[in-house]
Amino acid sequence: MTKQVRQLDRVVIRFAGDSGDGMQLTGDRFTSETAQLGNDISTLPNFPAEIRAPAGTLPGVSSFQVHFADYDILTPGDAPNVLVAMNPAALKANLGDLPRGADIIVNTDEFTKRNLAKVGYAASPLEDGSLDGYAVHPVGLTSMTVGALADQDVSKKDAERAKNMFALGLLSWMYSRPYESTIRFLQRKFAARPELVAANIAAFKAGWNFGETTEDFSVRYEVKPAQMPPGTYRNITGNAALALGIIAAGVRSKLPVFLGAYPITPASDILHELSKHKRFGITTMQAEDEIAAIGAALGAAYGGALGITTTSGPGVALKGETISLAVALELPLVIVDVQRAGPSTGMPTKTEQADLNMALFGRHGEAPVAVIAPRSPSDCFHAAIEAARIALTHRTPVILLSDNYVANGSEPWLLPDVDSLPDLRVEFATEPNGEDGTTFLPYLRDPRTLARPWAIPGTPGLQHRIGGLEKADKTGDISYDPANHDFMVRTRAARIEAIEVPDLEVEDPDGDARVLVLGWGSTYGPIGAACRALRQRGLSVAQAHLRHLSPMPRNLGDVLGGYDRVVIPEMNLGQLAHVIRARFLVDAIPYNQVRGLPFTAAELETMLEEVVKNG
Amino acid sequence: MAEPVALKLTTKDFKSDQEVRWCPGCGDYAILAAVQSFMPELNIPRERIVFVSGIGCSSRFPYYMNTYGMHSIHGRAPAIATGLSTTRPDLSVWVVTGDGDALSIGGNHLIHALRRNVNLKILLFNNRIYGLTKGQYSPTSEIGKITKSTPAGSADSPFNPLSLALGAEATFVARTIDSDRKHLQSVLRAAAEHNGSAFVEIYQNCNIFNDGAFEELKDAGTRDDYLIRLEHGQPITFGKDGQFCVVHPPGGFGLEVRDTAAVSPEEIVVHDSGVTEPAYAFALSRLPGLDLRNTPIGVFRNVSRPSYDNLVQSQLEAARAKATGTPEEQLAGLLTSGDTWTIS
Ligand SMILES: Cc1ncc(C[n+]2csc(CCOP(=O)(O)OP(=O)(O)O)c2C)c(N)n1
Ligand code: SF4
Ligand SMILES: [Mg+2]
């Protein structure tokens, strides 16, 4: 049977199932196939905090959304065009996000009385007409997989587990995806068990062939490659990019890297990744708690390593006292906070931007540090290098504010040329710097950066003591002198302000916008998508996105002053807006949402349209 | 290996230019003097020695040593020193801490440094009181102790620091006293020679807030009857003319003190700090009561286990040995690993 082929410019697919159904892996594979084809991509995984919530229940639903297009896109998409629902819970949990007319592929085998009852369906939604507005494709995914594997040497349980590959095969057929990378992946993943390689490949092919032969799927779709700058790409999550950025910073600084970390969602993957790369001179230590993790990183920094600690909000709270010590010691240190929804344990697998206040102000005493935030998954690579650059050049703690959305989301990444990465080499102090030629003054500063010398143990003649007690200017001796303390406090603030950061760039293609949208961190994608949509409709709006939150770009005040209205969307209750209002006396309009989910482009578009039209 | 060059350092070389600011009469002075005069013996250049401390009177120590030093924050010195020692195996890293610093706020870091066997020499100045904060009871203060924060007497049972260290898998555990320089230095010597964590409890007098806490161990009239001086390979006897001894009663779990005259010589325990099983050193650590009678000093335990530093370094070396190409080339290879695609 020949099928009709239809061209689309973009598609959003959501794979949803029970935590045990392998939906993250299925989504990941589909993404990888799509990347091979050259589409632009953005992905959003969404999974429960429980490792295994009771099977078939709403809290146990795990999903993976992938948005791909033949043009460059900025978000994983607001609403799916296609939902793959592996059970009634997955259908119920996700139906609300589907626009009418969307395709729903359901695994009918799981729509048993018992499973329906578990999520409170009195009658099967497949039969009671409640899905009439959608294009429902009922498929016996489990039974067909088991049938297709009847002559394979695997248990019934293993055969059933391969149903996600059947679903992947079907979707890969529907969207004309190249599947070689998936075959290779299965061969690698199950290398130790050849019978599972064969079974999973067979399940995948059965799904593909089912699409080709069944009457239910009459159309096959194509999404052409996107126009992207030439080069080599790979699909990357924010956490993976951040880990690579840290490795790159080690290579470019020629310093050993020491990572101290205590496991915490959603930051643990950075520890996992870095622990694999010892050949780059990277030591990873799983410490006894977050305080030890940063303490060890600071100790390593004192000894001349690039010291890093990775955590999430609750961990940063514990690290506060040590960050202040690092401020006093004026040693380089990178603190990565992959933010999650708080307070307390909050919603550990959901995203939020509510640690900005803590990063900027959450320490005792006047303890300013540098703060930066990546805007997208691949940007985490460059943000990590930038954090290392600031820390090493300015001998200061730097907080890098990632979040769950960029950490676990993914996008194609144009791989940088290693030689084009910044040179991060540092000079350790080797000689006495006192005027007499013999004394060493550990707090004598570089006039430009105001950084003090980094004199590491082992350097002959420079023995000195540092500590948390206030130090006299230049000598570093303990000092309780009032004027000295005042001077040192102001100097530590001036040190941060002296950090060179690039000017803020404004995107205003029409050039006549009166409204500026200012964001920071992971909201870049949704804000950008909303601005584009408005511009397409003939409305002018300007977008600027802060990467450096401390110090802020020097031109920020001028930028803000150039617009009638400034809107600041954030996934918190207005933390950046508060700072902007206080510092620049600008009557910024906060737009806030704390649902544990990224903004949709559509809601931002509606909100911005209102401001653009009515001021 | 070539004979190390004698550095000819002196006590003076280890004195910094900072004015020492403990209360006059404080036991910390004696410890500082003992350490400063011991240091030349190490024959390690001063720049390769680092003292890391927490917070407390005792933790002011690094300021007075003409080595590298960091006076850090309360309780965290073992963690900070772990990062330093692990990345800089060429350094000799010493931790100075107090009973509150090490056993209260920093208890977690202490036990984990010990179980990892990080190559640190940890000197715990135990004065059984919070000195710096002016006299509250500490986790080693006796139950019932009346202090500023416990006017009705403390209701907390104290830690036995050595038992704690042994329970935390420490490979080197010793005790000494501020006033006995010779003994203190002999313990420092053994600690310095140990590869891995060396835990040394130093009884230290705080003459302001807990004066005389260890008086019976120092007073010429009582000390011989109270102190058990452990010597590796020697039968454990003490008191005037070896009047008392330590035995392991059959059927019992621990060690007990007896009149030497009442036991046959072969019943007397011969001290062996190299016993692998920590139960022996633990039993020794349980001998004294809170009245300080039967207090062993010396090296309780000194066993060999790979240090964390060595294990970490050998993993790094093994990984490096397998790598080919410059770091830049390796990085380029890593970036392009996995599923990539090219757009021309
Ligand atoms: C986070 C923190 N909490 C409390 C203190 C106050 N503090 C300083 S030293 C100390 C206790 C010190 O006792 P110890 O470790 O026994 O040292 P000593 O002064 O007796 O030598 C306390 C509670 C502090 N500096 N930091
Ligand atoms: S308070 Fe006690 S421990 Fe502290 S310096 Fe004075 S005597 Fe020494
Ligand atoms: Mg004390």
Side-chain angles (χ1 to χ4, degrees):
Chain A
M1 176 178 126
T2 46
K3 305 251 175 161
Q4 192 192 337
V5 175
R6 207 176 289 160
Q7 298 295 329
L8 297 175
D9 61 348
R10 57 174 285 248
V11 180
V12 178
I13 301 178
R14 188 181 293 177
F15 296 91
D18 203 54
S19 306
D21 284 342
M23 289 299 97
Q24 301 304 323
L25 184 136
T26 311
D28 230 36
R29 289 323 313 161
F30 189 89
T31 304
S32 210
E33 294 174 1
T34 297
Q36 296 290 323
L37 200 106
N39 293 138
D40 197 10
I41 316 168
S42 175
T43 70
L44 175 69
N46 192 351
F47 38 81
E50 295 78 14
I51 304 305
R52 281 283 148 79
T57 60
L58 289 172
V61 174
S62 164
S63 72
F64 187 101
Q65 182 163 313
V66 47
H67 180 191
F68 54 104
D70 67 4
Y71 58 93
D72 76 311
I73 49 173
L74 294 166
T75 75
D78 292 355
N81 309 109
V82 183
L83 172 70
V84 178
M86 301 297 282
N87 65 7
L91 177 67
K92 188 160 193 185
N94 291 289
L95 192 61
D97 295 339
L98 293 195
R100 294 268 145 181
D103 285 297
I104 305 179
I105 298 170
V106 284
N107 180 9
T108 50
D109 293 325
E110 288 292 321
F111 279 64
T112 59
K113 250 207 163 95
R114 202 163 148 256
N115 285 352
L116 289 166
K118 264 191 206 167
V119 293
Y121 275 129
S124 170
L126 304 180
E127 284 150 22
D128 68 1
S130 60
L131 300 179
D132 281 355
Y134 304 92
V136 180
H137 307 273
V139 183
L141 284 173
T142 316
S143 51
M144 285 206 291
T145 308
V146 172
L149 302 188
D151 55 356
Q152 299 274 342
D153 180 23
V154 286
S155 66
K156 176 146 183 279
K157 199 162 159 235
D158 281 335
E160 284 179 356
R161 289 185 65 176
K163 62 182 181 291
N164 62 335
M165 285 300 119
F166 188 103
L168 179 64
L170 174 58
L171 271 290
S172 301
W173 171 82
M174 266 178 86
Y175 291 94
S176 319
R177 305 287 100 181
Y179 57 74
E180 294 73 18
S181 69
T182 293
I183 305 292
R184 279 201 304 274
F185 168 83
L186 292 171
Q187 283 162 345
R188 270 201 314 272
K189 181 173 164 70
F190 297 115
R193 295 189 58 191
E195 75 281 10
L196 290 186
V197 176
N200 278 281
I201 292 177
F204 180 91
K205 292 205 164 142
W208 180 285
N209 294 337
F210 173 71
E212 199 135 83
T213 47
T214 182
E215 307 259 314
D216 192 21
F217 295 95
S218 54
V219 197
R220 203 176 171 191
Y221 302 95
E222 277 180 4
V223 178
K224 289 262 151 53
Q227 285 289 332
M228 309 227 279
T232 302
Y233 287 78
R234 81 189 256 195
N235 193 55
I236 194 106
T237 65
N239 271 349
L242 209 148
L244 290 173
I246 291 171
I247 297 171
V251 169
R252 299 297 287 174
S253 63
K254 307 215 182 298
L255 294 178
V257 175
F258 182 95
L259 172 80
Y262 188 76
I264 186 168
T265 303
S268 303
D269 281 341
I270 305 171
L271 165 64
H272 303 160
E273 186 61 31
L274 286 174
S275 62
K276 290 191 242 166
H277 301 291
K278 298 196 166 51
R279 66 190 157 112
F280 289 97
I282 296 175
T283 304
T284 56
M285 175 182 171
Q286 182 177 317
E288 57 270 24
D289 61 23
E290 280 86 351
I291 301 174
I294 188 173
L298 181 62
Y302 175 57
L306 172 56
I308 299 182
T309 186
T310 49
T311 187
S312 187
V316 179
L318 289 173
K319 293 175 196 291
E321 190 192 9
T322 312
I323 300 175
S324 289
L325 174 64
V327 168
L329 297 183
E330 304 188 20
L331 283 171
L333 189 63
V334 175
I335 301 109
V336 175
D337 176 0
V338 186
Q339 299 164 96
R340 62 189 216 181
S344 191
T345 310
M347 302 194 291
T349 58
K350 309 295 173 200
T351 199
E352 204 159 274
Q353 293 183 297
D355 295 348
L356 177 62
N357 277 347
M358 176 164 65
L360 292 173
F361 312 116
R363 285 167 298 283
H364 62 283
E366 294 282 358
V369 301
V371 181
I372 75 168
R375 58 168 60 176
S376 74
S378 67
D379 189 40
C380 289
F381 176 82
H382 300 285
I385 295 176
E386 174 68 349
R389 177 192 72 84
I390 295 174
L392 293 171
T393 322
H394 295 269
R395 316 275 148 82
T396 175
V398 179
I399 297 181
L400 191 162
L401 285 177
S402 176
D403 67 31
N404 186 63
Y405 176 48
V406 287
N408 284 316
S410 73
E411 66 179 358
W413 175 33
L414 175 57
L415 295 176
D417 179 13
V418 169
D419 295 329
S420 71
L421 299 174
D423 182 347
L424 301 181
R425 278 174 299 179
V426 291
E427 274 182 33
F428 294 125
T430 52
E431 304 277 323
N433 57 359
E435 272 175 16
D436 61 4
T438 54
T439 20
F440 176 59
L441 302 169
Y443 278 78
L444 186 69
R445 300 174 185 286
D446 176 297
R448 188 179 62 87
T449 60
L450 300 182
R452 72 180 192 89
W454 194 1
I456 63 173
T459 316
L462 303 192
Q463 293 93 274
H464 64 284
R465 276 64 54 192
I466 55 176
L469 286 168
E470 184 61 284
K471 286 155 287 288
D473 181 34
K474 300 188 183 69
T475 64
D477 293 343
I478 300 171
S479 168
Y480 285 86
D481 177 63
N484 177 73
H485 180 56
D486 189 85
F487 174 78
M488 292 297 274
V489 168
R490 291 175 197 278
T491 303
R492 285 187 284 263
R495 262 163 50 65
I496 298 301
E497 287 306 318
I499 297 169
E500 275 168 38
V501 305
D503 270 352
L504 183 65
E505 284 174 26
V506 180
E507 198 187 311
D508 177 15
D510 300 317
D512 61 352
R514 300 313 315 145
V515 173
L516 173 76
V517 199
L518 181 70
W520 67 276
S522 78
T523 52
Y524 175 74
I527 294 175
C531 290
R532 278 188 195 173
L534 284 175
R535 289 174 199 139
Q536 266 163 19
R537 291 167 43 207
L539 298 172
S540 292
V541 63
Q543 180 188 6
H545 210 75
L546 284 173
R547 170 194 207 64
H548 293 272
L549 294 144
S550 168
M552 289 182 165
R554 291 201 171 67
N555 67 336
L556 177 57
D558 290 343
V559 168
L560 296 172
Y563 295 88
D564 297 341
R565 304 299 335 235
V566 176
V567 185
I568 305 182
E570 291 177 88
M571 296 186 287
N572 59 39
L573 292 187
Q575 300 187 7
L576 176 66
H578 196 96
V579 174
I580 295 291
R581 284 167 157 259
R583 278 190 64 162
F584 300 100
L585 297 178
V586 167
D587 189 14
I589 308 171
Y591 181 75
N592 307 105
Q593 181 238 81
V594 276
R595 297 183 299 143
L597 293 168
F599 285 110
T600 64
E603 70 184 302
L604 291 178
E605 185 185 338
T606 309
M607 177 273 296
L608 289 174
E609 180 177 359
E610 172 67 24
V611 182
V612 169
K613 286 188 173 156
N614 303 323
Chain B
M1 223 168 76
E3 271 295 297
V5 185
L7 294 170
K8 303 212 176 75
L9 292 164
T10 63
T11 304
K12 224 178 111 232
D13 292 319
F14 285 93
K15 294 186 172 167
S16 78
D17 59 356
Q18 300 295 300
E19 185 196 334
V20 185
R21 297 208 196 154
W22 288 307
C23 308
C26 174
D28 290 349
Y29 283 98
I31 304 175
L32 176 65
V35 172
Q36 285 169 334
S37 75
F38 163 73
M39 281 284 136
E41 230 188 78
L42 286 178
N43 202 39
I44 297 177
R46 287 174 299 177
E47 66 270 14
R48 295 215 340 252
I49 300 172
V50 187
F51 278 82
V52 182
S53 65
I55 297 290
C57 296
S58 36
S59 287
R60 294 287 179 104
F61 198 91
Y63 287 114
Y64 310 134
M65 294 294 299
N66 191 2
T67 61
Y68 280 87
M70 185 197 292
H71 177 221
S72 76
I73 46 178
H74 203 17
R76 317 304 173 192
I80 294 170
T82 294
L84 178 63
S85 176
T86 309
T87 47
R88 292 292 306 276
D90 57 317
L91 301 176
S92 170
V93 183
W94 297 68
V95 169
V96 174
T97 180
D99 40 321
D101 194 61
L103 301 173
S104 204
I105 192 165
N108 200 26
H109 309 308
L110 177 73
I111 59 175
H112 287 277
L114 294 176
R115 84 170 159 88
R116 290 191 182 102
N117 203 26
V118 185
N119 201 6
L120 303 173
K121 312 305 153 213
I122 303 171
L123 311 182
L124 190 161
F125 296 15
N126 183 3
N127 53 14
R128 295 195 168 165
I129 200 80
Y130 282 6
L132 191 70
T133 45
K134 304 202 165 129
Q136 302 83 3
Y137 77 110
S138 91
T140 55
S141 300
E142 319 81 83
I143 190 163
K145 190 171 189 76
I146 294 179
T147 70
K148 272 190 194 145
S149 59
T150 50
S154 128
D156 302 25
S157 277
F159 268 137
N160 177 324
L162 297 196
S163 303
L164 181 86
L166 289 161
E169 309 289 341
T171 52
F172 181 103
V173 171
R175 176 188 288 135
T176 186
I177 304 181
D178 55 3
S179 53
D180 187 341
R181 176 181 297 202
K182 203 163 147 250
H183 189 267
L184 206 165
Q185 292 187 335
S186 75
V187 167
L188 293 179
R189 193 167 300 124
E193 280 166 12
H194 180 72
N195 179 36
S197 297
F199 178 80
V200 180
E201 179 188 30
I202 307 176
Y203 282 162
Q204 173 242 326
N205 192 40
C206 167
N207 53 309
I208 302 295
F209 297 111
N210 201 17
D211 194 22
F214 307 105
E215 197 47 38
E216 292 86 344
L217 305 179
K218 302 178 175 187
D219 183 90
T222 50
R223 69 180 172 217
D224 290 342
D225 284 347
Y226 276 64
L227 272 184
I228 305 177
R229 292 176 177 271
L230 299 172
E231 305 270 1
H232 181 71
Q234 296 299 316
I236 309 177
T237 59
F238 64 106
K240 193 164 181 292
D241 305 322
Q243 189 185 348
F244 307 114
C245 67
V246 171
V247 300
H248 173 54
F253 288 109
L255 301 173
E256 285 176 15
V257 171
R258 294 281 159 80
D259 279 340
T260 309
V263 302
S264 62
E266 58 272 19
E267 283 180 76
I268 301 175
V269 172
V270 175
H271 180 53
D272 179 0
S273 59
V275 175
T276 327
E277 183 50 53
Y280 165 65
F282 190 83
L284 279 178
S285 77
R286 309 307 290 179
L287 280 174
L290 278 173
D291 65 357
L292 295 178
R293 273 182 197 278
N294 310 330
T295 298
I297 59 170
V299 179
F300 286 55
R301 176 175 171 80
N302 185 0
V303 299
S304 170
R305 172 155 67 85
S307 72
Y308 180 73
D309 317 49
N310 290 153
L311 293 171
V312 168
Q313 286 301 329
S314 55
Q315 286 189 354
L316 286 180
E317 277 157 28
R320 273 207 206 97
K322 274 191 253 157
T324 49
T326 64
E328 272 80 5
E329 286 162 357
Q330 291 178 50
L331 176 61
L334 179 63
L335 294 184
T336 52
S337 64
D339 290 334
T340 59
W341 69 97
T342 302
I343 291 175
S344 45

